[in-house]
Amino acid sequence: MPALVNFGGDDDFYSGSSFYTNSTDLGRLCSISSQVDVYYPPSKRVRVSAPFIFEETVFEQNKQTSIDVLPDECLFEIFKRLPGGRERSSCACVSKHWLMLLISIRKGEYELSKAVKENTDSVSDDAEMISSDEDEGHLTRCLEGKKATDLRLAAVAVGTSGHGGLGKLSIRGSSSSRGVTNLGLSAIARGCPTLKALSLWNVPRVGDEGLSAIAKECHLLEKLDLCQCPSVSNKGLISIAENCPNLTSLSIESCPKISNEGLQAIGNLCPKLQSISIKDCPLVGDHGVSSLLSSTSAVLSKVKFQGLNITDFSLAVIGHYGKSVTNLMLSGLQNVSEKGFWVMGNAQGLQKLVSLMITSCRGVTDLSLEAMGKGCANLKQMCLRRCCFISDDGLVAFAKSAGSLECLQLEECNRVTQSGIIGVLSGCSLKSLTIVKCMGIKDISLEAPLSSCNSLKSLSVRSCPGFGTASLAMVGKLCHQLQHVDLSGLSGIADAGLLPLLESCEAGLVKVNLSGCLNLTDEVVLALTRLHGGTLELVNLDGCRRITDASLVAIADNCVFLSDLDVSRSAVTDSGVAALSHAEQLNLQVLSFSGCSGVSNKSLPFLKKLGKTLLGLNLQHCNSISSRTIELLVKTLWKCDILF
């Protein structure tokens, strides 16, 4: 592992001669710490066996023989001839001045030097293996906050070159006063030509110069992520396009200086681009998006556009040139009308589209939604969030036209009612349905005969206050093959509505989430374990305050494969914990009693017994359990992650 050198003072680069003014300072090498990521080999201190008295003239003569009196040009030539990464790392530990000289040398200049070539011919097989690994670029480094400085980047550039080569670099949240600048990024460029993935988040002092340095030296770059980089403009992006032909993934977010010109260069010069994400870039418009999509139509598979000033024209281009697009995300496109989405669907170019997610787009209406369903023959996953103009008619028409649809998610689509949900379930072969915060759904009793939906395996209805007992009973009549049920946050449902659903599930429930269902009682849990105890793997009863020890006894008696149980904020006590511990067939891995005041120190032996298989135990806010008991559990259940 590389050792770290602790530099005194601030982390700004020193652009002068040696930091040491006399020969004694040269012996005071920096102590090992986390400041610099370079290798420092162990060494022995010289033992002095006899006293020496130095005269002032001798001392002055020794001072003149210091290596620091050599000009930088000589040190540069010496450093170029260092045989390997360990030697370079050792020299980098001497001073910031030497570190700066080392990062000014490109990796290719080391390899081309005569001394290195001669040394390479005589190295052992092991050394040759290490040398060959340097080009792989498999190391990953992440610098965040105050740790993200130019000095650390310089150390990373030197330290990783001899230990496999840097492959991925992530810089997040750099300080505005002492953070990463173009100088640090240039050091990475010179020392890490193996870099394949670069992520820059909130680095205001990095601009086109630093990004251009990366582009000119790191030709293997495949992934680039720019977020909140106000100093990066089209110039830097064009440099990436001209020098990094292997670029496959590009993400740009909140970069106000990047516009259509940069995207056009990416589209024309990066033929391998497979994924593009552009968010909140005010200068990006139709011209940049259309140029990018039309140039990369053969390989581009993932597209995300959010908060852009694009119009119907861009969506028409997506519909026509998106022949290879499999995943499409469109969010906050306020200038796109119904016509844009309608044309995108009718262009018939999205034949390979598998997943479509649309959020807060006013142009999504019943008419345009149906057109997208008809134009995307292989669409399997559809997510609509905050699309306020979609009603029951459009939703049912879309479900019928999208013949391959398997997963449908609706979130805050408040014009959709119970009739639309029933129509979707009756008219298609859905496998998964998720409904979140759809306030238009109300309990209505429908007397008309309903066709069943035996394909539905997963049903999730969360935080829909109008979805009550009548709606739940309706779903029970339609869906007989459910395996996953999530009804979290439905405070209006009661035992009478849930029991018919449990009885109608013929395939056997595997995962059941009833958290926040305040009115459910032990009767539901008894029926659940009796009917589905042989298949249940996860049960969440968090916040079900009427659940008591009787439910835990039923779980202990009937559940065979249960691995995850949450009874937080319920009425269970020590007796229920004891019942669980006596169940020989149970192999619980995750167990939560958070907020259960009835669980006390008396449960210690039972928890120890359950802990033989537990990987996670939540005892937060269990006021009846003392800190001493927690300490004993932590000591005994050393394999288990305990929250307290």
Side-chain angles (χ1 to χ4, degrees):
M1 295 291 294
L4 304 179
V5 178
N6 184 14
F7 292 106
D10 55 27
D11 286 344
D12 294 335
F13 280 130
Y14 182 78
S15 58
S17 60
S18 172
F19 282 87
Y20 308 109
T21 57
N22 56 58
S23 60
T24 58
D25 285 339
L26 288 174
R28 300 170 185 168
L29 295 184
C30 301
S31 59
I32 304 301
S33 76
S34 61
Q35 290 296 322
V36 179
D37 187 12
V38 291
Y39 177 81
Y40 186 72
S43 60
K44 292 184 178 180
R45 182 178 298 175
V46 177
R47 175 176 295 180
V48 179
S49 58
F52 291 89
I53 301 177
F54 295 97
E55 295 183 359
E56 184 176 356
T57 56
V58 177
F59 180 78
E60 291 297 325
Q61 184 178 0
N62 289 338
K63 179 179 179 180
Q64 294 179 0
T65 60
S66 169
I67 193 174
D68 280 339
V69 303
L70 292 176
D72 289 349
E73 292 79 6
C74 292
L75 290 174
F76 185 88
E77 293 299 324
I78 293 173
F79 292 158
K80 281 176 59 177
R81 287 158 175 78
L82 292 174
R86 290 189 175 185
E87 290 76 11
R88 295 194 288 271
S89 295
S90 299
C91 290
C93 292
V94 173
S95 68
K96 294 180 182 179
H97 182 207
W98 282 27
L99 175 61
M100 291 302 301
L101 286 175
L102 283 164
I103 65 171
S104 67
I105 306 174
R106 292 179 174 82
K107 187 176 180 181
E109 292 176 321
Y110 287 116
E111 296 172 347
L112 294 176
S113 65
K114 182 178 180 181
V116 172
K117 286 186 176 181
E118 293 175 352
N119 189 35
T120 304
D121 296 335
S122 60
V123 294
S124 63
D125 294 338
D126 293 339
E128 288 179 358
M129 292 177 62
I130 295 175
S131 178
S132 63
D133 288 338
E134 291 185 4
D135 295 331
E136 293 182 2
H138 62 267
L139 296 180
T140 299
R141 293 291 181 269
C142 181
L143 304 181
E144 298 184 5
K146 295 181 180 179
K147 295 182 179 180
T149 63
D150 285 341
L151 188 62
R152 287 182 178 272
L153 284 181
V156 168
V158 175
T160 58
S161 63
H163 297 82
L166 186 64
K168 297 180 180 179
L169 175 62
S170 176
I171 304 173
R172 302 191 177 190
S174 175
S175 171
S176 58
S177 59
R178 297 175 55 196
V180 173
T181 67
N182 294 325
L183 189 61
L185 213 57
S186 298
I188 290 293
R190 286 190 294 268
C192 307
T194 58
L195 189 66
K196 295 181 180 179
L198 175 63
S199 179
L200 302 176
W201 286 23
N202 191 18
V203 282
R205 301 179 66 189
V206 171
D208 296 330
E209 182 182 347
L211 200 60
S212 297
I214 291 290
K216 293 176 181 178
E217 302 290 344
C218 304
H219 302 295
L220 300 178
L221 191 68
E222 296 177 358
K223 297 181 179 180
L224 178 61
D225 183 3
L226 303 175
C227 179
Q228 297 181 15
C229 299
S231 300
V232 175
S233 69
N234 291 326
K235 182 179 179 181
L237 201 59
I238 292 173
S239 182
I240 290 289
E242 292 175 344
N243 296 279
C244 302
N246 294 321
L247 193 69
T248 60
S249 176
L250 176 62
S251 178
I252 306 173
E253 179 178 348
S254 301
C255 296
K257 291 186 178 181
I258 292 180
S259 63
N260 297 328
E261 184 182 356
L263 294 183
Q264 185 177 7
I266 291 291
N268 293 332
L269 301 174
C270 298
K272 298 181 180 180
L273 190 67
Q274 299 176 7
S275 175
I276 180 69
S277 175
I278 308 175
K279 177 181 178 181
D280 297 333
C281 295
L283 297 183
V284 173
D286 290 331
H287 181 65
V289 170
S290 59
S291 298
L292 182 65
L293 290 169
S294 60
S295 302
T296 59
S297 61
V299 293
L300 192 62
S301 60
K302 295 182 179 180
V303 176
K304 178 181 178 180
F305 296 141
Q306 180 174 348
L308 303 182
N309 295 320
I310 58 177
T311 66
D312 298 341
F313 179 76
S314 291
L315 263 68
V317 173
I318 294 175
H320 183 75
Y321 288 101
K323 298 178 180 179
S324 300
V325 175
T326 58
N327 296 74
L328 178 60
M329 298 176 62
L330 304 173
S331 177
L333 306 182
Q334 301 301 323
N335 296 326
V336 178
S337 67
E338 178 186 65
K339 180 181 178 181
F341 285 98
W342 184 86
V343 173
M344 185 181 74
N346 284 311
Q348 301 295 321
L350 297 174
Q351 295 300 311
K352 293 185 179 181
L353 188 65
V354 175
S355 175
L356 176 59
M357 179 181 294
I358 303 176
T359 303
S360 301
C361 292
R362 299 178 180 177
V364 179
T365 63
D366 291 344
L367 180 64
S368 60
L369 185 61
E370 183 179 4
M372 286 185 283
K374 293 179 180 179
C376 306
N378 294 300
L379 186 64
K380 294 184 178 181
Q381 301 175 4
M382 181 64 167
C383 177
L384 298 170
R385 293 176 176 170
R386 295 186 290 276
C387 295
C388 55
F389 295 112
I390 295 177
S391 66
D392 294 338
D393 294 338
L395 188 62
V396 173
F398 167 78
K400 291 181 179 180
S401 58
S404 301
L405 191 65
E406 296 180 355
C407 303
L408 176 62
Q409 179 175 343
L410 303 175
E411 184 172 343
E412 297 185 46
C413 297
N414 296 325
R415 295 185 65 184
V416 176
T417 68
Q418 186 195 72
S419 299
I421 301 300
I422 299 301
V424 168
L425 293 176
S426 302
C428 66
S429 300
L430 277 181
K431 293 182 179 180
S432 175
L433 175 62
T434 301
I435 308 170
V436 182
K437 297 180 180 179
C438 292
M439 303 304 175
I441 298 179
K442 307 292 182 182
D443 270 352
I444 301 175
S445 298
L446 298 179
E447 299 180 356
L450 303 173
S451 57
S452 61
C453 180
N454 292 324
S455 62
L456 194 69
K457 305 295 182 183
S458 175
L459 174 66
S460 178
V461 183
R462 305 194 301 270
S463 302
C464 297
F467 195 96
T469 300
S471 300
L472 200 57
M474 194 75 63
V475 172
K477 294 179 181 180
L478 289 172
C479 310
H480 305 291
Q481 302 299 321
L482 285 175
Q483 295 180 350
H484 301 165
V485 174
D486 184 353
L487 304 176
S488 55
L490 300 187
S491 57
I493 64 173
D495 296 349
L498 188 56
L499 288 174
L501 176 64
L502 298 179
E503 294 173 355
S504 66
C505 296
E506 302 172 356
L509 291 173
V510 177
K511 296 181 180 180
V512 178
N513 186 353
L514 302 175
S515 62
C517 299
L518 307 179
N519 297 320
L520 297 181
T521 68
D522 292 327
E523 184 179 357
V524 166
V525 180
L526 266 61
L528 176 64
T529 56
R530 175 175 52 83
L531 295 170
H532 307 284
T535 56
L536 278 175
E537 296 179 4
L538 180 148
V539 175
N540 190 338
L541 301 170
D542 180 15
C544 299
R545 56 194 179 189
R546 302 178 66 181
I547 298 298
T548 68
D549 294 334
S551 294
L552 294 186
V553 173
I555 290 173
D557 292 340
N558 298 296
C559 294
V560 179
F561 301 107
L562 189 67
S563 61
D564 192 329
L565 175 62
D566 191 343
V567 289
S568 301
R569 298 181 297 163
S570 65
V572 300
T573 66
D574 297 326
S575 299
V577 181
L580 285 178
S581 66
H582 294 147
E584 297 181 357
Q585 81 282 3
L586 269 183
N587 290 294
L588 286 173
Q589 296 183 0
V590 180
L591 180 60
S592 178
F593 292 112
S594 175
C596 295
S597 58
V599 179
S600 67
N601 295 330
K602 296 179 181 179
S603 294
L604 177 60
F606 311 131
L607 292 174
K608 285 184 177 180
K609 188 175 181 180
L610 289 168
K612 294 179 180 180
T613 59
L614 284 179
L615 300 177
L617 176 62
N618 188 351
L619 298 177
Q620 291 179 315
H621 310 296
C622 293
N623 300 326
S624 300
I625 298 180
S626 65
S627 58
R628 175 59 179 167
T629 300
I630 295 294
E631 291 176 0
L632 292 174
L633 284 173
V634 171
K635 183 177 180 180
T636 305
L637 308 181
W638 56 273
K639 292 184 179 180
C640 180
D641 185 12
I642 301 178
L643 299 178
F644 55 90

